[in-house]
């Protein structure tokens, strides 16, 4: 009696093994690709949360909030009760912040709030009107773009009256 596999059995086993190996490679690719996308979304979430926390910090103790009329609504100037001046602005695809005398967003002494890992596609400040000349508060909307998808972050802060 002969022992071993026939040619047909060998071809069938090789075909089944190839099918299993191909399926494993496809599954591994999808797992790695999903992990990369999840990491990118996590980075966007971390960056957006950091920027909203910094905006909240800048608006705590704000005496006056102004949006310069000469610029689009991407600049915000805050003067606190202790006299500290803070400016937040959009420079290209980065949000920048400066503490001190108001200047221009592309000055060298403005620090970036966002890193090279993300692109800010939109920054907008809207004053919440109140009776009189002093605004009631402000709403800030930030959109960070990742893989052609926008992730919005919004913060609303009211002034002490």
């Amino acid at each position: 009696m002969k022992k071993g596999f026939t040619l047909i059995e060998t071809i069938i086993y090789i075909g089944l093994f190839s099918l299993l190996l191909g399926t494993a490679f496809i599954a591994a690719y999808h797992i790695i690709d999903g992990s990369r996308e999840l990491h990118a979304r996590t980075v966007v979430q971390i960056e957006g949360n950091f920027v909203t926390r910094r905006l909240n910090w800048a608006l705590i103790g704000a005496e006056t909030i102004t949006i310069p009329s000469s610029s689009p609504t991407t600049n915000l100037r805050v003067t606190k009760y202790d006299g500290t001046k803070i400016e937040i602005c959009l420079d290209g695809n980065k949000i920048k912040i400066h503490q001190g005398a108001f200047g221009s967003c592309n000055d060298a002494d403005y620090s970036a709030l966002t890193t090279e890992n993300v692109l800010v596609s939109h920054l907008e400040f809207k004053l919440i009107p109140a009776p009189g000349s002093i605004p009631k508060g402000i709403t800030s909307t930030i959109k960070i773009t990742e893989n052609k998808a926008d992730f919005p972050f919004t913060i609303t802060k009211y002034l002490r009256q």
Side-chain angles (χ1 to χ4, degrees):
M1 189 154 134
K2 292 184 179 180
K3 292 186 178 181
F5 297 110
T6 64
L7 181 60
I8 299 287
E9 290 174 328
T10 304
I11 291 173
I12 290 172
Y13 290 140
I14 289 174
L16 288 173
F17 180 71
S18 298
L19 184 65
L20 288 174
L21 196 59
T23 304
F25 280 133
I26 291 170
Y29 171 78
H30 285 296
I31 289 171
I32 291 169
D33 190 46
S35 172
R36 187 179 316 121
E37 186 176 320
L38 180 62
H39 175 71
R41 287 180 184 228
T42 302
V43 167
V44 167
Q45 188 69 41
I46 290 170
E47 293 268 351
N49 288 341
F50 176 75
V51 171
T52 54
R53 283 193 315 269
R54 292 299 290 183
L55 279 167
N56 187 45
W57 167 82
L59 294 169
I60 290 175
E63 181 178 11
T64 61
I65 298 173
T66 56
I67 298 173
S69 60
S70 61
S71 67
T73 60
T74 59
N75 284 27
L76 174 70
R77 292 180 174 173
V78 177
T79 303
K80 294 190 174 198
Y81 282 102
D82 64 359
T84 304
K85 296 179 185 290
I86 298 171
E87 184 169 10
I88 298 171
C89 54
L90 181 63
D91 184 20
N93 292 325
K94 294 187 179 314
I95 297 175
K96 292 187 172 182
I97 190 168
H98 174 70
Q99 188 172 342
F102 297 135
S104 175
C105 195
N106 54 10
D107 290 346
D109 56 345
Y110 279 61
S111 303
L113 282 179
T114 54
T115 65
E116 301 289 330
N117 298 328
V118 296
L119 299 175
V120 178
S121 61
H122 180 79
L123 174 65
E124 182 178 20
F125 299 106
K126 288 184 180 177
L127 294 175
I128 300 169
S133 62
I134 298 174
K136 188 176 183 181
I138 189 159
T139 297
S140 171
T141 305
I142 304 160
K143 287 185 184 171
I144 298 177
T145 303
E146 175 63 36
N147 289 336
K148 298 179 183 174
D150 286 334
F151 295 91
F153 296 88
T154 303
I155 183 172
T156 300
K157 193 76 174 180
Y158 293 93
L159 291 175
R160 290 189 304 186
Q161 298 296 328

